[in-house]
Amino acid sequence: MMNSGLLNFERTLMLSFIRSNSQNTAQRPIINKSELDNVKSDDLRHYQVIKAPDGYESNAMSYNPRMHKFIKILMRNGNSYLARNLVDKALYKIKLKQVEKYNNTEDENARKEIETNPMKIFLSALDNTKPILKVIGIVKSGISYQVPVPMNENEREFKATKFILTSSREKDRNVRFYDKLADELIDAFKNQGKSIKKKVDIHKLAEANRAYAHYRWAKK
């Protein structure tokens, strides 16, 4: 009896100590359910202050943070419902096109190579469109040089999204946007289309100016 009371007292002291020292260092919540299931009973996060999740975060199976960023970049004038609706319709069009292609293919080996999951096509299209390098202007001794520099992951993701959206808008104006977006995502999934060409053009420009790459460490 005394041991259990002592353990409860020690636990109460530890809980109060952790809470008093974590007021300004609140932990991020766990959104992924599979990660939440792996939290052990002796994990200190049980006794720490946890921040409230952001309004857009969800543990639903359909939630994807990359998809959410894509929708936010597409959004205009705060109309997130319209942006989400356009992306959902584009994914639906991708599903229809790929299933139709699958049904029209008689060769079993060729059927296995046809991807019918629109989310996998969307994520692969983003990955294929992400550039590695960018070119920035650096002035040295009064001369401006185009210097290739590597891009961080956030920049690469943002550029890939802009390439896909811009290329979709440049297509035929008589076609609905979600149809153009679906076609562009399928092309990018196959490493084809305007968005892939924009990425290649950036890499060609960086390759042409590789002689000035050492200027990225130079002081302006």
Side-chain angles (χ1 to χ4, degrees):
M1 188 73 178
M2 183 177 296
N3 290 335
S4 61
L6 184 60
L7 289 174
N8 289 334
F9 178 70
E10 290 178 351
R11 183 175 181 179
T12 304
L13 283 179
M14 183 176 68
L15 181 61
S16 60
F17 174 78
I18 292 175
R19 285 181 173 174
S20 63
N21 287 278
S22 61
Q23 292 179 355
N24 298 324
T25 58
Q27 302 296 314
R28 287 277 303 153
I30 298 175
I31 304 300
N32 193 338
K33 188 177 183 302
S34 60
E35 185 181 351
L36 186 63
D37 294 337
N38 294 328
V39 176
K40 298 181 180 179
S41 58
D42 58 346
D43 197 306
L44 289 178
R45 284 176 289 186
H46 288 296
Y47 311 105
Q48 292 176 328
V49 177
I50 306 297
K51 291 181 180 179
D54 293 330
Y56 62 85
E57 291 180 320
S58 170
N59 61 357
M61 293 180 63
S62 59
Y63 171 74
N64 187 285
R66 297 179 68 186
M67 172 72 75
H68 175 77
K69 290 181 180 179
F70 187 91
I71 292 172
K72 288 299 182 184
I73 297 174
L74 171 62
M75 182 176 63
R76 291 293 181 270
N77 300 322
N79 195 345
S80 60
Y81 174 79
L82 175 60
R84 178 74 200 193
N85 193 31
L86 290 172
V87 173
D88 287 342
K89 287 183 177 180
L91 295 179
Y92 179 69
K93 287 290 183 179
I94 291 173
K95 182 71 174 182
L96 292 180
K97 289 175 182 289
Q98 295 300 100
V99 169
E100 182 181 3
K101 182 179 179 181
Y102 180 88
N103 292 332
N104 293 334
T105 304
E106 297 180 356
D107 187 7
E108 288 297 329
N109 294 327
R111 277 188 169 188
K112 293 179 181 179
E113 297 178 357
I114 299 175
E115 180 60 65
T116 58
N117 188 336
M119 183 58 73
K120 288 184 179 179
I121 292 176
F122 171 80
L123 296 176
S124 296
L126 276 180
D127 291 335
N128 292 342
T129 315
K130 288 194 294 189
I132 300 175
L133 299 171
K134 65 178 179 179
V135 176
I136 62 173
I138 292 181
V139 178
K140 185 174 178 61
S141 301
I143 303 175
S144 179
Y145 296 96
Q146 297 294 314
V147 180
V149 296
M151 304 173 71
N152 59 44
E153 187 60 32
N154 289 334
E155 287 180 309
R156 295 178 65 202
E157 188 83 12
F158 177 77
K159 273 293 185 184
T161 303
K162 294 296 287 185
F163 287 162
I164 292 174
L165 294 178
T166 303
S167 300
S168 300
R169 294 189 180 103
E170 290 174 353
K171 292 180 182 289
D172 188 1
R173 296 181 63 87
N174 296 324
V175 181
R176 294 185 180 274
F177 177 76
Y178 53 81
D179 288 326
K180 297 188 290 185
L181 180 58
D183 291 337
E184 189 61 36
L185 287 171
I186 292 175
D187 287 342
F189 172 72
K190 299 176 181 177
N191 273 312
Q192 301 171 358
K194 291 184 178 180
S195 56
I196 298 296
K197 185 177 183 303
K198 292 178 187 294
K199 181 191 78 169
V200 172
D201 289 342
I202 285 184
H203 287 170
K204 285 183 178 179
L205 182 61
E207 177 71 17
N209 292 276
R210 64 178 181 176
Y212 310 123
H214 61 285
Y215 284 155
R216 59 180 287 212
W217 294 285
K219 294 182 179 179
K220 295 183 180 180

